[in-house]
Amino acid sequence: MSAPTSPGDREKVVSKLPTWLRQHLKVRAAQHGVEIQTAVEEGISAWCDLASATGAVDTAGADSFSTFLPEGQWEQFREISADRKVSLIQGLAQSVQLWLDTNPVPDVERPEVTRRIIVCNQKGGVGKTAITAGLGEALAEDAGSLHPVRVSKALTKVLKAAEAQGTDAEPEDKVLEVENLPGPGQRVLLVDFDPQCHLTNQLGGEPLPMNGDSLTNHMAGDPKSDLRDLVVSVDDEAFGGRLHLLPACNDAFLLDVRLSAVRAREAALERALAPLESDYDVIIVDCPPSLGLSMDAAVYYGRRRDGEKPGQSGALVVVQAEDSSADAYELLTTQIDDLRDDLQVDIDYLGIVVNLYDSRRGYIATSSLQGWVDIKDPKVVGLIGDLKEQKEAVRVKKPLLSYAPRSQQAVGMRALARELV
């Protein structure tokens, strides 16, 4: 054991902790938003204040552990450990365990109203499906484990570079800052609302058969079964049963025609999904590249409900840093604004995600990114690079965050999720 003095009012101490206990400490400190050294300080202080040592902790396989404590605390701890005839390693383990016991795992925050996120853009090929899947996966990750997340200031650096320097904006990977954070642990339903079934296929699901039941049937008022019976779980090992998928069916190509005969057709998606909402914290809808009646129903589903805070539900617009995305964005926002006015409802924009970004493409990419940044409202809430891991995940039909959990795209998806939580 050594305790060389470091600059400031803390000193470095070196001891040992078993690997399992160190991991629990690391995760729990992150869950409570405190530094590990603060947790150890509080644990030692509480242990020293006890009348006697606590129950013995298994320290087999203990390995080197260092931290910084207030000057003098370690000497006090050494004296009390000697009085209690407890080794420093055992005393430290008991202190850490005491802190864990008095700081239990916090409950996962659940929204009062199920959040509804509509991932949309009239233009195809911008990556709406990839963003829908990645966002849902990030929201469903385990709250009891740490996952690499791009911190918000990293995104801010990229966007400020684009805003201030235009074509000289730095590539995302040059300003990437990452920290390990607990997953949100949300219960998530992904709704494949596109007749092309891309989301279903990408996640390894099977499109629903044309002669069976489907979301289309429920929206058209002709259900053949309980909609819950159509929902499938996605990669339980990675997401602990928290991530589910409502697969698409090719019959959605006929949805606009069928909706034309339905009363209050703008509420058709809401009526269909309402029975499922109590099972989930978030429902994310992967919309088709369309401006038809089905898109009206999707946008209406994402409206702000009574008692819901602004920005909880609404439209998340996926674009690319190129000119055709800007044209499609104008069409989409016009449709949303018209629906707002016609039905007198509040429909919030949750933000813009610039997807498949690569500054190496030069002036078109960087100047287009600057154009999205300049919009301000809605603001850019995500910047996802054009990297190979997403394409590979699609090829093997696995969720990106379980296929390549430490990839830059996965790190960016987690950052996007936290921008929207």
Side-chain angles (χ1 to χ4, degrees):
M1 170 65 63
S2 61
T5 301
S6 65
D9 60 355
R10 284 181 177 266
E11 59 184 357
K12 182 178 181 179
V13 298
V14 180
S15 183
K16 290 185 176 182
L17 270 182
T19 301
W20 65 268
L21 188 57
R22 182 166 54 234
Q23 183 62 22
H24 284 321
L25 172 63
K26 183 178 180 181
V27 173
R28 194 72 55 80
Q31 289 172 330
H32 285 273
V34 301
E35 294 184 2
I36 290 177
Q37 65 181 21
T38 301
V40 175
E41 174 191 341
E42 292 176 354
I44 289 176
S45 179
W47 186 81
C48 291
D49 288 342
L50 295 175
S52 61
T54 60
V57 175
D58 182 4
T59 58
D63 201 358
S64 179
F65 173 79
S66 63
T67 188
F68 288 88
L69 298 175
E71 289 185 5
Q73 187 182 46
W74 188 250
E75 285 305 314
Q76 179 192 23
F77 172 69
R78 290 169 65 97
E79 294 172 3
I80 293 176
S81 296
D83 289 343
R84 294 175 179 173
K85 296 181 172 54
V86 173
S87 71
L88 292 175
I89 295 174
Q90 179 63 214
L92 180 59
Q94 290 183 20
S95 299
V96 170
Q97 186 61 58
L98 179 61
W99 186 86
L100 291 172
D101 292 342
T102 54
N103 292 270
V105 177
D107 293 333
V108 173
E109 293 186 13
R110 307 290 183 195
E112 294 182 6
V113 179
T114 298
R115 301 181 62 204
R116 295 144 341 271
I117 299 176
I118 311 304
V119 182
C120 52
N121 192 333
Q122 180 269 340
K123 184 179 185 298
V126 297
K128 295 186 295 295
T129 298
I131 297 301
T132 299
L135 174 60
E137 293 161 25
L139 288 171
E141 282 191 310
D142 183 18
S145 302
L146 300 182
H147 313 274
V149 182
R150 184 180 63 208
V151 295
S152 59
K153 61 185 177 182
L155 174 60
T156 300
K157 281 186 179 181
V158 178
L159 300 182
K160 282 185 176 179
E163 187 173 14
Q165 300 178 20
T167 57
D168 296 325
E170 293 184 80
E172 176 188 357
D173 57 357
K174 289 187 178 179
V175 295
L176 190 65
E177 295 182 45
V178 174
E179 64 179 277
N180 292 315
L181 297 174
Q186 300 282 291
R187 301 167 300 181
V188 180
L189 175 64
L190 303 176
V191 177
D192 192 347
F193 197 43
D194 188 339
Q196 299 174 91
C197 307
H198 290 320
L199 180 62
T200 301
N201 290 323
Q202 285 187 21
L203 294 177
E206 291 290 336
L208 298 171
M210 287 286 287
N211 59 351
D213 201 8
S214 66
L215 177 59
T216 298
N217 288 336
H218 284 256
M219 292 179 64
D222 186 27
K224 298 180 180 180
S225 65
D226 189 324
L227 196 61
R228 282 189 179 85
D229 296 338
L230 305 181
V231 173
V232 297
S233 190
V234 177
D235 200 342
D236 284 347
E237 184 176 346
F239 303 105
R242 292 177 298 275
L243 183 62
H244 292 169
L245 168 70
L246 178 56
C249 177
N250 292 137
D251 67 355
F253 280 114
L254 304 173
L255 181 56
D256 279 8
V257 175
R258 297 182 68 179
L259 284 180
S260 64
V262 174
R263 295 185 62 183
R265 53 181 175 261
E266 70 278 352
L269 182 59
E270 180 169 301
R271 288 194 297 268
L273 295 179
L276 304 183
E277 289 187 0
S278 61
D279 298 335
Y280 299 99
D281 301 309
V282 185
I283 294 179
I284 308 176
V285 181
D286 182 27
C287 295
S290 165
L291 294 177
L293 298 178
S294 56
M295 190 61 207
D296 279 349
V299 172
Y300 182 82
Y301 183 60
R303 80 192 188 287
R304 191 192 317 159
R305 294 179 180 172
D306 291 341
E308 191 173 19
K309 296 178 181 177
Q312 294 297 294
S313 297
L316 182 67
V317 185
V318 181
V319 301
Q320 285 182 265
E322 42 82 37
D323 295 337
S324 61
S325 274
D327 297 335
Y329 175 80
E330 293 282 342
L331 293 171
L332 175 66
T333 54
T334 297
Q335 181 179 12
I336 292 175
D337 292 344
D338 287 346
L339 201 62
R340 277 173 166 171
D341 295 337
D342 292 344
L343 300 179
Q344 293 295 295
V345 292
D346 292 316
I347 301 169
D348 296 328
Y349 289 103
L350 301 182
I352 295 172
V353 179
V354 181
N355 192 32
L356 302 174
Y357 179 72
D358 187 348
S359 63
R360 293 174 300 180
R361 290 175 181 153
Y363 174 74
I364 294 296
T366 56
S367 62
S368 294
L369 174 60
Q370 185 177 5
W372 294 118
V373 172
D374 289 343
I375 290 177
K376 306 295 186 188
D377 185 18
K379 68 177 183 177
V380 174
V381 294
L383 181 66
I384 307 297
D386 185 9
L387 301 171
K388 63 182 179 64
E389 287 82 4
Q390 176 66 50
K391 297 180 179 68
E392 292 174 354
V394 170
R395 173 63 63 87
V396 299
K397 296 187 175 183
K398 290 195 64 176
L400 170 67
L401 272 67
S402 59
Y403 173 76
R406 304 193 69 84
S407 66
Q408 287 188 27
Q409 284 176 321
V411 169
M413 293 294 186
R414 296 188 187 102
L416 170 62
R418 280 159 177 79
E419 286 286 332
L420 298 178
V421 167

